[in-house]
Amino acid sequence: MKSMEEMIKAAQEAAQNIQQQMEQAQAMLDVIQVEGVSGGGLVKVRATAKGRILNVAIDDSLIVPADKGMLEDLITAALNDAREKADAASNAEMSKMSSGMALPPGFKLPF
């Protein structure tokens, strides 16, 4: 049987390894890009899987003062679409990382 000191050292090393993997996964989420689209492609929003908005593209045909309300609704819809896709990409990356860990039943990571 291992000594208590060896078990504690192994647990600390495992915790450090998990923390490094989490940091790498978080960094990767800021590199993964998704695109939200609304209005049949008239409004597009690019974002990272962390939710950082990178770009909003609006088709020139939408820039009419009388259509301001519609444009705002389309932008909102595109942002929401991008956020949903970012959440899905984030969950997929975190699942990849946590699938190799032997976590106790019911234990969930904070992401």
Side-chain angles (χ1 to χ4, degrees):
M1 177 177 236
K2 291 185 179 181
S3 72
M4 183 61 87
E5 188 175 300
E6 289 174 322
M7 290 171 46
I8 290 172
K9 184 178 179 185
Q12 288 174 335
E13 288 173 0
Q16 287 174 347
N17 187 30
I18 289 170
Q19 184 167 350
Q20 287 174 345
Q21 289 177 353
M22 293 295 249
E23 289 170 2
Q24 290 172 348
Q26 287 294 318
M28 184 64 158
L29 294 178
D30 205 38
V31 174
I32 296 171
Q33 293 185 17
V34 295
E35 183 176 70
V37 179
S38 69
L42 296 175
V43 175
K44 297 177 182 176
V45 175
R46 276 189 320 116
T48 68
K50 272 187 126 171
R52 186 169 52 95
I53 303 302
L54 300 173
N55 177 273
V56 175
I58 302 168
D59 188 272
D60 289 342
S61 68
L62 293 177
I63 310 298
V64 177
D67 293 335
K68 183 177 186 282
M70 181 185 72
L71 179 58
E72 291 170 345
D73 290 343
L74 288 170
I75 290 171
T76 300
L79 287 169
N80 287 329
D81 186 43
R83 181 72 241 171
E84 288 174 18
K85 289 176 182 175
D87 288 343
S90 176
N91 290 337
E93 281 300 308
M94 296 310 288
S95 291
K96 284 182 201 174
M97 191 200 74
S98 64
S99 67
M101 291 185 218
L103 299 175
F107 184 82
K108 295 192 185 225
L109 294 173
F111 301 96

